[in-house]
PDB file of all heavy atoms in Angstrom:
ATOM      1  N   GLY A   1       7.572  -1.588   3.527  1.00 97.00           N
ATOM      2  CA  GLY A   1       8.209  -2.938   3.492  1.00 97.00           C
ATOM      3  C   GLY A   1       7.176  -3.941   4.052  1.00 97.00           C
ATOM      4  O   GLY A   1       6.231  -3.590   4.776  1.00 97.00           O
ATOM      5  N   TRP A   2       7.372  -5.267   3.822  1.00 98.00           N
ATOM      6  CA  TRP A   2       6.455  -6.253   4.276  1.00 98.00           C
ATOM      7  C   TRP A   2       6.418  -6.224   5.914  1.00 98.00           C
ATOM      8  O   TRP A   2       5.281  -6.374   6.394  1.00 98.00           O
ATOM      9  CB  TRP A   2       6.765  -7.700   3.730  1.00 98.00           C
ATOM     10  CG  TRP A   2       8.155  -8.138   4.223  1.00 98.00           C
ATOM     11  CD1 TRP A   2       9.389  -7.904   3.589  1.00 98.00           C
ATOM     12  CD2 TRP A   2       8.417  -8.712   5.429  1.00 98.00           C
ATOM     13  NE1 TRP A   2      10.428  -8.412   4.328  1.00 98.00           N
ATOM     14  CE2 TRP A   2       9.819  -8.958   5.426  1.00 98.00           C
ATOM     15  CE3 TRP A   2       7.656  -9.223   6.618  1.00 98.00           C
ATOM     16  CZ2 TRP A   2      10.382  -9.661   6.599  1.00 98.00           C
ATOM     17  CZ3 TRP A   2       8.351  -9.902   7.649  1.00 98.00           C
ATOM     18  CH2 TRP A   2       9.775 -10.162   7.615  1.00 98.00           C
ATOM     19  N   ASP A   3       7.478  -5.957   6.464  1.00 98.00           N
ATOM     20  CA  ASP A   3       7.540  -5.947   7.804  1.00 98.00           C
ATOM     21  C   ASP A   3       6.807  -4.699   8.485  1.00 98.00           C
ATOM     22  O   ASP A   3       5.995  -5.045   9.403  1.00 98.00           O
ATOM     23  CB  ASP A   3       8.969  -5.898   8.359  1.00 98.00           C
ATOM     24  CG  ASP A   3       9.877  -4.882   7.589  1.00 98.00           C
ATOM     25  OD1 ASP A   3       9.753  -4.922   6.369  1.00 98.00           O
ATOM     26  OD2 ASP A   3      10.575  -4.165   8.259  1.00 98.00           O
ATOM     27  N   GLY A   4       7.004  -3.554   7.974  1.00 97.00           N
ATOM     28  CA  GLY A   4       6.260  -2.434   8.448  1.00 97.00           C
ATOM     29  C   GLY A   4       4.776  -2.563   8.242  1.00 97.00           C
ATOM     30  O   GLY A   4       3.952  -2.078   9.081  1.00 97.00           O
ATOM     31  N   ARG A   5       4.356  -3.202   7.108  1.00 98.00           N
ATOM     32  CA  ARG A   5       2.908  -3.240   6.863  1.00 98.00           C
ATOM     33  C   ARG A   5       2.257  -4.234   7.850  1.00 98.00           C
ATOM     34  O   ARG A   5       1.104  -4.007   8.332  1.00 98.00           O
ATOM     35  CB  ARG A   5       2.718  -3.703   5.456  1.00 98.00           C
ATOM     36  CG  ARG A   5       2.972  -2.679   4.356  1.00 98.00           C
ATOM     37  CD  ARG A   5       2.652  -3.115   3.030  1.00 98.00           C
ATOM     38  NE  ARG A   5       3.408  -4.245   2.421  1.00 98.00           N
ATOM     39  CZ  ARG A   5       4.399  -4.163   1.689  1.00 98.00           C
ATOM     40  NH1 ARG A   5       4.958  -2.869   1.315  1.00 98.00           N
ATOM     41  NH2 ARG A   5       5.127  -5.275   1.292  1.00 98.00           N
ATOM     42  N   LEU A   6       2.934  -5.221   8.188  1.00 98.00           N
ATOM     43  CA  LEU A   6       2.337  -6.158   9.133  1.00 98.00           C
ATOM     44  C   LEU A   6       2.149  -5.569  10.583  1.00 98.00           C
ATOM     45  O   LEU A   6       1.251  -5.831  11.171  1.00 98.00           O
ATOM     46  CB  LEU A   6       3.219  -7.516   9.247  1.00 98.00           C
ATOM     47  CG  LEU A   6       3.286  -8.465   8.036  1.00 98.00           C
ATOM     48  CD1 LEU A   6       4.220  -9.586   8.313  1.00 98.00           C
ATOM     49  CD2 LEU A   6       1.924  -8.902   7.709  1.00 98.00           C
ATOM     50  N   VAL A   7       3.191  -4.871  10.922  1.00 98.00           N
ATOM     51  CA  VAL A   7       2.983  -4.152  12.166  1.00 98.00           C
ATOM     52  C   VAL A   7       1.969  -3.250  12.205  1.00 98.00           C
ATOM     53  O   VAL A   7       1.073  -3.064  13.131  1.00 98.00           O
ATOM     54  CB  VAL A   7       4.294  -3.379  12.608  1.00 98.00           C
ATOM     55  CG1 VAL A   7       4.038  -2.663  13.795  1.00 98.00           C
ATOM     56  CG2 VAL A   7       5.439  -4.575  12.789  1.00 98.00           C
ATOM     57  N   ALA A   8       1.846  -2.417  11.099  1.00 97.00           N
ATOM     58  CA  ALA A   8       0.780  -1.388  11.028  1.00 97.00           C
ATOM     59  C   ALA A   8      -0.598  -2.051  10.967  1.00 97.00           C
ATOM     60  O   ALA A   8      -1.617  -1.498  11.530  1.00 97.00           O
ATOM     61  CB  ALA A   8       0.959  -0.710   9.699  1.00 97.00           C
ATOM     62  N   ILE A   9      -0.889  -3.200  10.315  1.00 97.00           N
ATOM     63  CA  ILE A   9      -2.083  -3.890  10.339  1.00 97.00           C
ATOM     64  C   ILE A   9      -2.483  -4.429  11.656  1.00 97.00           C
ATOM     65  O   ILE A   9      -3.656  -4.354  12.072  1.00 97.00           O
ATOM     66  CB  ILE A   9      -1.998  -4.950   9.239  1.00 97.00           C
ATOM     67  CG1 ILE A   9      -1.908  -4.316   7.796  1.00 97.00           C
ATOM     68  CG2 ILE A   9      -3.406  -5.716   9.285  1.00 97.00           C
ATOM     69  CD1 ILE A   9      -1.484  -5.244   6.737  1.00 97.00           C
ATOM     70  N   TRP A  10      -1.452  -4.821  12.358  1.00 97.00           N
ATOM     71  CA  TRP A  10      -1.825  -5.438  13.682  1.00 97.00           C
ATOM     72  C   TRP A  10      -2.230  -4.176  14.692  1.00 97.00           C
ATOM     73  O   TRP A  10      -3.128  -4.361  15.363  1.00 97.00           O
ATOM     74  CB  TRP A  10      -0.567  -6.030  14.358  1.00 97.00           C
ATOM     75  CG  TRP A  10      -1.009  -6.701  15.729  1.00 97.00           C
ATOM     76  CD1 TRP A  10      -1.491  -7.875  15.870  1.00 97.00           C
ATOM     77  CD2 TRP A  10      -0.911  -6.040  16.991  1.00 97.00           C
ATOM     78  NE1 TRP A  10      -1.841  -8.048  17.293  1.00 97.00           N
ATOM     79  CE2 TRP A  10      -1.541  -6.858  17.885  1.00 97.00           C
ATOM     80  CE3 TRP A  10      -0.483  -4.789  17.447  1.00 97.00           C
ATOM     81  CZ2 TRP A  10      -1.541  -6.581  19.263  1.00 97.00           C
ATOM     82  CZ3 TRP A  10      -0.627  -4.485  18.844  1.00 97.00           C
ATOM     83  CH2 TRP A  10      -1.068  -5.333  19.646  1.00 97.00           C
ATOM     84  N   VAL A  11      -1.635  -2.981  14.493  1.00 97.00           N
ATOM     85  CA  VAL A  11      -2.017  -1.907  15.284  1.00 97.00           C
ATOM     86  C   VAL A  11      -3.451  -1.519  14.766  1.00 97.00           C
ATOM     87  O   VAL A  11      -4.297  -1.216  15.806  1.00 97.00           O
ATOM     88  CB  VAL A  11      -1.162  -0.618  14.893  1.00 97.00           C
ATOM     89  CG1 VAL A  11      -1.691   0.638  15.464  1.00 97.00           C
ATOM     90  CG2 VAL A  11       0.295  -0.942  15.499  1.00 97.00           C
ATOM     91  N   LEU A  12      -3.859  -1.659  13.534  1.00 96.00           N
ATOM     92  CA  LEU A  12      -5.269  -1.368  13.058  1.00 96.00           C
ATOM     93  C   LEU A  12      -6.220  -2.478  13.932  1.00 96.00           C
ATOM     94  O   LEU A  12      -7.269  -2.038  14.268  1.00 96.00           O
ATOM     95  CB  LEU A  12      -5.370  -1.495  11.587  1.00 96.00           C
ATOM     96  CG  LEU A  12      -4.707  -0.402  10.808  1.00 96.00           C
ATOM     97  CD1 LEU A  12      -4.738  -0.768   9.288  1.00 96.00           C
ATOM     98  CD2 LEU A  12      -5.259   0.999  11.110  1.00 96.00           C
ATOM     99  N   LEU A  13      -5.782  -3.650  13.931  1.00 96.00           N
ATOM    100  CA  LEU A  13      -6.494  -4.662  14.592  1.00 96.00           C
ATOM    101  C   LEU A  13      -6.707  -4.431  16.053  1.00 96.00           C
ATOM    102  O   LEU A  13      -7.781  -4.432  16.577  1.00 96.00           O
ATOM    103  CB  LEU A  13      -5.758  -5.993  14.283  1.00 96.00           C
ATOM    104  CG  LEU A  13      -6.414  -7.230  15.193  1.00 96.00           C
ATOM    105  CD1 LEU A  13      -7.758  -7.417  14.796  1.00 96.00           C
ATOM    106  CD2 LEU A  13      -5.532  -8.415  14.973  1.00 96.00           C
ATOM    107  N   ALA A  14      -5.593  -3.995  16.629  1.00 96.00           N
ATOM    108  CA  ALA A  14      -5.663  -3.745  18.104  1.00 96.00           C
ATOM    109  C   ALA A  14      -6.356  -2.545  18.573  1.00 96.00           C
ATOM    110  O   ALA A  14      -6.929  -2.419  19.625  1.00 96.00           O
ATOM    111  CB  ALA A  14      -4.098  -3.597  18.572  1.00 96.00           C
ATOM    112  N   THR A  15      -6.599  -1.668  17.605  1.00 96.00           N
ATOM    113  CA  THR A  15      -7.419  -0.365  17.910  1.00 96.00           C
ATOM    114  C   THR A  15      -8.804  -0.345  17.307  1.00 96.00           C
ATOM    115  O   THR A  15      -9.410   0.675  17.180  1.00 96.00           O
ATOM    116  CB  THR A  15      -6.630   0.853  17.289  1.00 96.00           C
ATOM    117  OG1 THR A  15      -6.384   0.691  15.956  1.00 96.00           O
ATOM    118  CG2 THR A  15      -5.335   1.052  18.074  1.00 96.00           C
ATOM    119  N   ASP A  16      -9.137  -1.681  16.821  1.00 95.00           N
ATOM    120  CA  ASP A  16     -10.495  -1.808  16.367  1.00 95.00           C
ATOM    121  C   ASP A  16     -10.758  -0.955  15.109  1.00 95.00           C
ATOM    122  O   ASP A  16     -11.963  -0.527  14.986  1.00 95.00           O
ATOM    123  CB  ASP A  16     -11.606  -1.551  17.400  1.00 95.00           C
ATOM    124  CG  ASP A  16     -11.528  -2.651  18.441  1.00 95.00           C
ATOM    125  OD1 ASP A  16     -11.262  -3.827  18.248  1.00 95.00           O
ATOM    126  OD2 ASP A  16     -11.724  -2.228  19.699  1.00 95.00           O
ATOM    127  N   ALA A  17      -9.699  -0.741  14.298  1.00 95.00           N
ATOM    128  CA  ALA A  17      -9.908   0.162  13.060  1.00 95.00           C
ATOM    129  C   ALA A  17     -10.174  -0.696  11.773  1.00 95.00           C
ATOM    130  O   ALA A  17     -10.003  -0.147  10.670  1.00 95.00           O
ATOM    131  CB  ALA A  17      -8.674   0.983  12.997  1.00 95.00           C
ATOM    132  N   LEU A  18     -10.475  -2.056  11.951  1.00 95.00           N
ATOM    133  CA  LEU A  18     -10.796  -2.913  10.787  1.00 95.00           C
ATOM    134  C   LEU A  18     -12.216  -2.872  10.523  1.00 95.00           C
ATOM    135  O   LEU A  18     -12.903  -2.975  11.623  1.00 95.00           O
ATOM    136  CB  LEU A  18     -10.142  -4.263  11.059  1.00 95.00           C
ATOM    137  CG  LEU A  18      -8.629  -4.373  11.151  1.00 95.00           C
ATOM    138  CD1 LEU A  18      -8.286  -5.900  11.251  1.00 95.00           C
ATOM    139  CD2 LEU A  18      -7.983  -3.798   9.979  1.00 95.00           C
ATOM    140  N   PRO A  19     -12.793  -2.961   9.319  1.00 95.00           N
ATOM    141  CA  PRO A  19     -11.971  -3.122   8.147  1.00 95.00           C
ATOM    142  C   PRO A  19     -11.673  -1.723   7.536  1.00 95.00           C
ATOM    143  O   PRO A  19     -11.003  -1.719   6.473  1.00 95.00           O
ATOM    144  CB  PRO A  19     -12.887  -3.894   7.231  1.00 95.00           C
ATOM    145  CG  PRO A  19     -14.344  -3.524   7.686  1.00 95.00           C
ATOM    146  CD  PRO A  19     -14.197  -3.220   9.178  1.00 95.00           C
ATOM    147  N   ALA A  20     -12.227  -0.734   8.038  1.00 96.00           N
ATOM    148  CA  ALA A  20     -12.040   0.564   7.462  1.00 96.00           C
ATOM    149  C   ALA A  20     -10.581   0.884   7.209  1.00 96.00           C
ATOM    150  O   ALA A  20     -10.162   1.410   6.121  1.00 96.00           O
ATOM    151  CB  ALA A  20     -12.639   1.675   8.266  1.00 96.00           C
ATOM    152  N   GLY A  21      -9.726   0.701   8.316  1.00 96.00           N
ATOM    153  CA  GLY A  21      -8.275   0.986   8.046  1.00 96.00           C
ATOM    154  C   GLY A  21      -7.691   0.251   6.913  1.00 96.00           C
ATOM    155  O   GLY A  21      -6.776   0.778   6.206  1.00 96.00           O
ATOM    156  N   LEU A  22      -7.981  -1.050   6.784  1.00 96.00           N
ATOM    157  CA  LEU A  22      -7.525  -1.887   5.767  1.00 96.00           C
ATOM    158  C   LEU A  22      -7.925  -1.303   4.358  1.00 96.00           C
ATOM    159  O   LEU A  22      -7.103  -1.261   3.269  1.00 96.00           O
ATOM    160  CB  LEU A  22      -7.838  -3.302   5.903  1.00 96.00           C
ATOM    161  CG  LEU A  22      -6.886  -4.139   6.722  1.00 96.00           C
ATOM    162  CD1 LEU A  22      -7.451  -5.625   6.664  1.00 96.00           C
ATOM    163  CD2 LEU A  22      -5.462  -4.071   6.259  1.00 96.00           C
ATOM    164  N   TYR A  23      -9.165  -0.959   4.226  1.00 96.00           N
ATOM    165  CA  TYR A  23      -9.544  -0.399   2.940  1.00 96.00           C
ATOM    166  C   TYR A  23      -8.875   0.923   2.621  1.00 96.00           C
ATOM    167  O   TYR A  23      -8.486   1.124   1.429  1.00 96.00           O
ATOM    168  CB  TYR A  23     -11.168  -0.206   2.996  1.00 96.00           C
ATOM    169  CG  TYR A  23     -12.003  -1.368   2.759  1.00 96.00           C
ATOM    170  CD1 TYR A  23     -12.980  -1.762   3.729  1.00 96.00           C
ATOM    171  CD2 TYR A  23     -11.797  -2.167   1.604  1.00 96.00           C
ATOM    172  CE1 TYR A  23     -13.747  -2.898   3.552  1.00 96.00           C
ATOM    173  CE2 TYR A  23     -12.654  -3.297   1.432  1.00 96.00           C
ATOM    174  CZ  TYR A  23     -13.615  -3.600   2.313  1.00 96.00           C
ATOM    175  OH  TYR A  23     -14.306  -4.846   2.156  1.00 96.00           O
ATOM    176  N   ALA A  24      -8.743   1.826   3.600  1.00 97.00           N
ATOM    177  CA  ALA A  24      -7.979   3.001   3.356  1.00 97.00           C
ATOM    178  C   ALA A  24      -6.553   2.711   2.953  1.00 97.00           C
ATOM    179  O   ALA A  24      -6.012   3.351   1.989  1.00 97.00           O
ATOM    180  CB  ALA A  24      -8.054   3.882   4.542  1.00 97.00           C
ATOM    181  N   LEU A  25      -5.871   1.777   3.636  1.00 97.00           N
ATOM    182  CA  LEU A  25      -4.486   1.416   3.333  1.00 97.00           C
ATOM    183  C   LEU A  25      -4.434   0.916   1.884  1.00 97.00           C
ATOM    184  O   LEU A  25      -3.560   1.227   1.153  1.00 97.00           O
ATOM    185  CB  LEU A  25      -3.969   0.471   4.373  1.00 97.00           C
ATOM    186  CG  LEU A  25      -2.492   0.058   4.239  1.00 97.00           C
ATOM    187  CD1 LEU A  25      -1.485   1.232   4.372  1.00 97.00           C
ATOM    188  CD2 LEU A  25      -2.193  -1.094   5.246  1.00 97.00           C
ATOM    189  N   ALA A  26      -5.318  -0.044   1.520  1.00 97.00           N
ATOM    190  CA  ALA A  26      -5.416  -0.601   0.259  1.00 97.00           C
ATOM    191  C   ALA A  26      -5.545   0.405  -0.817  1.00 97.00           C
ATOM    192  O   ALA A  26      -4.833   0.405  -1.841  1.00 97.00           O
ATOM    193  CB  ALA A  26      -6.443  -1.750   0.219  1.00 97.00           C
ATOM    194  N   ALA A  27      -6.482   1.401  -0.626  1.00 97.00           N
ATOM    195  CA  ALA A  27      -6.723   2.339  -1.592  1.00 97.00           C
ATOM    196  C   ALA A  27      -5.497   3.306  -1.863  1.00 97.00           C
ATOM    197  O   ALA A  27      -5.088   3.559  -2.906  1.00 97.00           O
ATOM    198  CB  ALA A  27      -7.923   3.179  -1.270  1.00 97.00           C
ATOM    199  N   ALA A  28      -5.018   3.709  -0.696  1.00 97.00           N
ATOM    200  CA  ALA A  28      -3.689   4.610  -0.672  1.00 97.00           C
ATOM    201  C   ALA A  28      -2.468   3.869  -1.395  1.00 97.00           C
ATOM    202  O   ALA A  28      -1.940   4.480  -2.283  1.00 97.00           O
ATOM    203  CB  ALA A  28      -3.328   5.027   0.657  1.00 97.00           C
ATOM    204  N   LEU A  29      -2.255   2.697  -1.032  1.00 97.00           N
ATOM    205  CA  LEU A  29      -1.091   2.043  -1.674  1.00 97.00           C
ATOM    206  C   LEU A  29      -1.366   1.712  -3.107  1.00 97.00           C
ATOM    207  O   LEU A  29      -0.492   1.641  -3.968  1.00 97.00           O
ATOM    208  CB  LEU A  29      -0.888   0.770  -0.794  1.00 97.00           C
ATOM    209  CG  LEU A  29      -0.174   0.976   0.557  1.00 97.00           C
ATOM    210  CD1 LEU A  29       0.065  -0.381   1.215  1.00 97.00           C
ATOM    211  CD2 LEU A  29       1.080   1.782   0.492  1.00 97.00           C
ATOM    212  N   GLY A  30      -2.675   1.169  -3.444  1.00 97.00           N
ATOM    213  CA  GLY A  30      -3.001   0.841  -4.767  1.00 97.00           C
ATOM    214  C   GLY A  30      -2.748   2.131  -5.722  1.00 97.00           C
ATOM    215  O   GLY A  30      -2.223   1.941  -6.771  1.00 97.00           O
ATOM    216  N   VAL A  31      -3.402   3.241  -5.287  1.00 97.00           N
ATOM    217  CA  VAL A  31      -3.165   4.398  -6.076  1.00 97.00           C
ATOM    218  C   VAL A  31      -1.758   4.830  -6.276  1.00 97.00           C
ATOM    219  O   VAL A  31      -1.317   5.101  -7.382  1.00 97.00           O
ATOM    220  CB  VAL A  31      -4.077   5.562  -5.445  1.00 97.00           C
ATOM    221  CG1 VAL A  31      -3.723   6.882  -6.241  1.00 97.00           C
ATOM    222  CG2 VAL A  31      -5.548   5.242  -5.688  1.00 97.00           C
ATOM    223  N   LEU A  32      -1.057   4.747  -5.114  1.00 97.00           N
ATOM    224  CA  LEU A  32       0.380   5.213  -5.234  1.00 97.00           C
ATOM    225  C   LEU A  32       1.200   4.331  -6.205  1.00 97.00           C
ATOM    226  O   LEU A  32       1.927   4.753  -7.012  1.00 97.00           O
ATOM    227  CB  LEU A  32       1.002   5.246  -3.768  1.00 97.00           C
ATOM    228  CG  LEU A  32       2.483   5.399  -3.600  1.00 97.00           C
ATOM    229  CD1 LEU A  32       2.626   7.032  -3.918  1.00 97.00           C
ATOM    230  CD2 LEU A  32       2.924   5.309  -2.154  1.00 97.00           C
ATOM    231  N   PHE A  33       1.038   2.972  -5.951  1.00 96.00           N
ATOM    232  CA  PHE A  33       1.800   2.044  -6.727  1.00 96.00           C
ATOM    233  C   PHE A  33       1.451   2.162  -8.268  1.00 96.00           C
ATOM    234  O   PHE A  33       2.436   2.236  -9.140  1.00 96.00           O
ATOM    235  CB  PHE A  33       1.654   0.635  -6.348  1.00 96.00           C
ATOM    236  CG  PHE A  33       2.045   0.258  -5.013  1.00 96.00           C
ATOM    237  CD1 PHE A  33       1.462  -0.709  -4.209  1.00 96.00           C
ATOM    238  CD2 PHE A  33       3.137   0.902  -4.409  1.00 96.00           C
ATOM    239  CE1 PHE A  33       1.849  -1.041  -2.827  1.00 96.00           C
ATOM    240  CE2 PHE A  33       3.615   0.548  -3.193  1.00 96.00           C
ATOM    241  CZ  PHE A  33       2.938  -0.397  -2.474  1.00 96.00           C
ATOM    242  N   ALA A  34       0.271   2.189  -8.462  1.00 95.00           N
ATOM    243  CA  ALA A  34      -0.131   2.215  -9.969  1.00 95.00           C
ATOM    244  C   ALA A  34       0.218   3.654 -10.600  1.00 95.00           C
ATOM    245  O   ALA A  34       0.727   3.600 -11.693  1.00 95.00           O
ATOM    246  CB  ALA A  34      -1.684   2.171 -10.036  1.00 95.00           C
ATOM    247  N   ALA A  35       0.122   4.662  -9.836  1.00 95.00           N
ATOM    248  CA  ALA A  35       0.370   6.014 -10.485  1.00 95.00           C
ATOM    249  C   ALA A  35       1.945   6.094 -10.664  1.00 95.00           C
ATOM    250  O   ALA A  35       2.290   6.570 -11.867  1.00 95.00           O
ATOM    251  CB  ALA A  35      -0.014   7.162  -9.486  1.00 95.00           C
ATOM    252  N   GLU A  36       2.687   5.663  -9.726  1.00 94.00           N
ATOM    253  CA  GLU A  36       4.157   5.795  -9.947  1.00 94.00           C
ATOM    254  C   GLU A  36       4.658   4.819 -11.064  1.00 94.00           C
ATOM    255  O   GLU A  36       5.484   5.123 -11.776  1.00 94.00           O
ATOM    256  CB  GLU A  36       4.904   5.313  -8.610  1.00 94.00           C
ATOM    257  CG  GLU A  36       6.400   5.742  -8.602  1.00 94.00           C
ATOM    258  CD  GLU A  36       7.175   4.743  -9.346  1.00 94.00           C
ATOM    259  OE1 GLU A  36       6.805   3.561  -9.442  1.00 94.00           O
ATOM    260  OE2 GLU A  36       8.252   5.050 -10.076  1.00 94.00           O
ATOM    261  N   SER A  37       4.016   3.609 -11.101  1.00 92.00           N
ATOM    262  CA  SER A  37       4.344   2.744 -12.193  1.00 92.00           C
ATOM    263  C   SER A  37       4.008   3.301 -13.648  1.00 92.00           C
ATOM    264  O   SER A  37       4.723   3.186 -14.513  1.00 92.00           O
ATOM    265  CB  SER A  37       3.815   1.393 -11.960  1.00 92.00           C
ATOM    266  OG  SER A  37       4.148   0.554 -12.867  1.00 92.00           O
ATOM    267  N   ALA A  38       2.811   3.839 -13.644  1.00 90.00           N
ATOM    268  CA  ALA A  38       2.356   4.294 -14.893  1.00 90.00           C
ATOM    269  C   ALA A  38       3.232   5.525 -15.398  1.00 90.00           C
ATOM    270  O   ALA A  38       3.709   5.618 -16.596  1.00 90.00           O
ATOM    271  CB  ALA A  38       0.879   4.864 -14.839  1.00 90.00           C
ATOM    272  N   ALA A  39       3.571   6.392 -14.394  1.00 89.00           N
ATOM    273  CA  ALA A  39       4.407   7.564 -14.779  1.00 89.00           C
ATOM    274  C   ALA A  39       5.836   6.967 -15.167  1.00 89.00           C
ATOM    275  O   ALA A  39       6.443   7.578 -16.102  1.00 89.00           O
ATOM    276  CB  ALA A  39       4.484   8.434 -13.597  1.00 89.00           C
ATOM    277  N   SER A  40       6.358   6.071 -14.570  1.00 87.00           N
ATOM    278  CA  SER A  40       7.691   5.572 -14.880  1.00 87.00           C
ATOM    279  C   SER A  40       7.695   4.890 -16.182  1.00 87.00           C
ATOM    280  O   SER A  40       8.683   5.080 -17.091  1.00 87.00           O
ATOM    281  CB  SER A  40       8.069   4.540 -13.731  1.00 87.00           C
ATOM    282  OG  SER A  40       9.311   3.940 -14.074  1.00 87.00           O
ATOM    283  N   TRP A  41       6.586   4.185 -16.544  1.00 81.00           N
ATOM    284  CA  TRP A  41       6.577   3.495 -17.902  1.00 81.00           C
ATOM    285  C   TRP A  41       6.462   4.508 -18.979  1.00 81.00           C
ATOM    286  O   TRP A  41       6.865   4.423 -20.149  1.00 81.00           O
ATOM    287  CB  TRP A  41       5.669   2.492 -17.959  1.00 81.00           C
ATOM    288  CG  TRP A  41       5.981   1.114 -17.413  1.00 81.00           C
ATOM    289  CD1 TRP A  41       5.786   0.707 -16.025  1.00 81.00           C
ATOM    290  CD2 TRP A  41       6.754   0.213 -17.968  1.00 81.00           C
ATOM    291  NE1 TRP A  41       6.483  -0.453 -15.820  1.00 81.00           N
ATOM    292  CE2 TRP A  41       6.951  -0.814 -16.923  1.00 81.00           C
ATOM    293  CE3 TRP A  41       7.355  -0.080 -19.223  1.00 81.00           C
ATOM    294  CZ2 TRP A  41       7.746  -2.079 -17.258  1.00 81.00           C
ATOM    295  CZ3 TRP A  41       7.988  -1.342 -19.464  1.00 81.00           C
ATOM    296  CH2 TRP A  41       8.244  -2.227 -18.437  1.00 81.00           C
ATOM    297  N   ARG A  42       5.686   5.565 -18.734  1.00 82.00           N
ATOM    298  CA  ARG A  42       5.365   6.651 -19.640  1.00 82.00           C
ATOM    299  C   ARG A  42       6.587   7.410 -20.005  1.00 82.00           C
ATOM    300  O   ARG A  42       6.893   7.931 -21.149  1.00 82.00           O
ATOM    301  CB  ARG A  42       4.385   7.691 -19.218  1.00 82.00           C
ATOM    302  CG  ARG A  42       2.943   7.160 -19.365  1.00 82.00           C
ATOM    303  CD  ARG A  42       1.860   8.102 -18.770  1.00 82.00           C
ATOM    304  NE  ARG A  42       2.001   9.350 -19.600  1.00 82.00           N
ATOM    305  CZ  ARG A  42       1.322   9.718 -20.588  1.00 82.00           C
ATOM    306  NH1 ARG A  42       0.435   8.786 -21.224  1.00 82.00           N
ATOM    307  NH2 ARG A  42       1.398  10.822 -21.133  1.00 82.00           N
ATOM    308  N   SER A  43       7.605   7.536 -19.135  1.00 76.00           N
ATOM    309  CA  SER A  43       8.773   8.275 -19.186  1.00 76.00           C
ATOM    310  C   SER A  43       9.904   7.346 -19.805  1.00 76.00           C
ATOM    311  O   SER A  43      11.114   7.960 -20.151  1.00 76.00           O
ATOM    312  CB  SER A  43       9.216   8.961 -17.827  1.00 76.00           C
ATOM    313  OG  SER A  43       9.542   7.962 -17.011  1.00 76.00           O
ATOM    314  N   PHE A  44       9.672   6.158 -19.965  1.00 65.00           N
ATOM    315  CA  PHE A  44      10.697   5.338 -20.415  1.00 65.00           C
ATOM    316  C   PHE A  44      11.069   5.499 -21.857  1.00 65.00           C
ATOM    317  O   PHE A  44      10.156   5.501 -22.683  1.00 65.00           O
ATOM    318  CB  PHE A  44      10.130   3.751 -20.158  1.00 65.00           C
ATOM    319  CG  PHE A  44      11.220   2.763 -20.631  1.00 65.00           C
ATOM    320  CD1 PHE A  44      12.368   2.677 -20.152  1.00 65.00           C
ATOM    321  CD2 PHE A  44      10.729   1.809 -21.641  1.00 65.00           C
ATOM    322  CE1 PHE A  44      13.343   1.669 -20.549  1.00 65.00           C
ATOM    323  CE2 PHE A  44      11.700   0.786 -22.007  1.00 65.00           C
ATOM    324  CZ  PHE A  44      12.968   0.752 -21.477  1.00 65.00           C
ATOM    325  N   ASP A  45      12.284   5.633 -21.967  1.00 53.00           N
ATOM    326  CA  ASP A  45      12.808   5.898 -23.394  1.00 53.00           C
ATOM    327  C   ASP A  45      12.656   4.672 -24.335  1.00 53.00           C
ATOM    328  O   ASP A  45      13.305   3.701 -23.935  1.00 53.00           O
ATOM    329  CB  ASP A  45      14.222   6.448 -23.369  1.00 53.00           C
ATOM    330  CG  ASP A  45      14.796   6.787 -24.715  1.00 53.00           C
ATOM    331  OD1 ASP A  45      14.061   6.671 -25.696  1.00 53.00           O
ATOM    332  OD2 ASP A  45      15.949   7.234 -24.769  1.00 53.00           O
ATOM    333  N   ALA A  46      11.985   4.693 -25.357  1.00 47.00           N
ATOM    334  CA  ALA A  46      11.884   3.411 -26.158  1.00 47.00           C
ATOM    335  C   ALA A  46      13.177   3.073 -26.856  1.00 47.00           C
ATOM    336  O   ALA A  46      13.229   1.946 -27.201  1.00 47.00           O
ATOM    337  CB  ALA A  46      10.862   3.794 -27.406  1.00 47.00           C
TER     338      ALA A  46
END
């Protein structure tokens, strides 16, 4: 959720894990969102 992501990013900031932590989060979420969406649309009954 937007709220959980904001808290997680502040934790990355507070622990000096930027920018690597943000790049990792972006890659993980991007792959997850795109893969699930593609699988869902492929299984959609025409």
Side-chain angles (χ1 to χ4, degrees):
W2 62 268
D3 45 311
R5 290 189 292 267
L6 289 180
V7 172
I9 295 165
W10 187 86
V11 171
L12 292 176
L13 170 65
T15 56
D16 295 319
L18 299 182
L22 271 184
Y23 279 122
L25 183 61
L29 290 180
V31 170
L32 180 65
F33 294 151
E36 191 283 326
S37 181
S40 176
W41 280 94
R42 282 178 60 88
S43 65
F44 180 58
D45 183 358

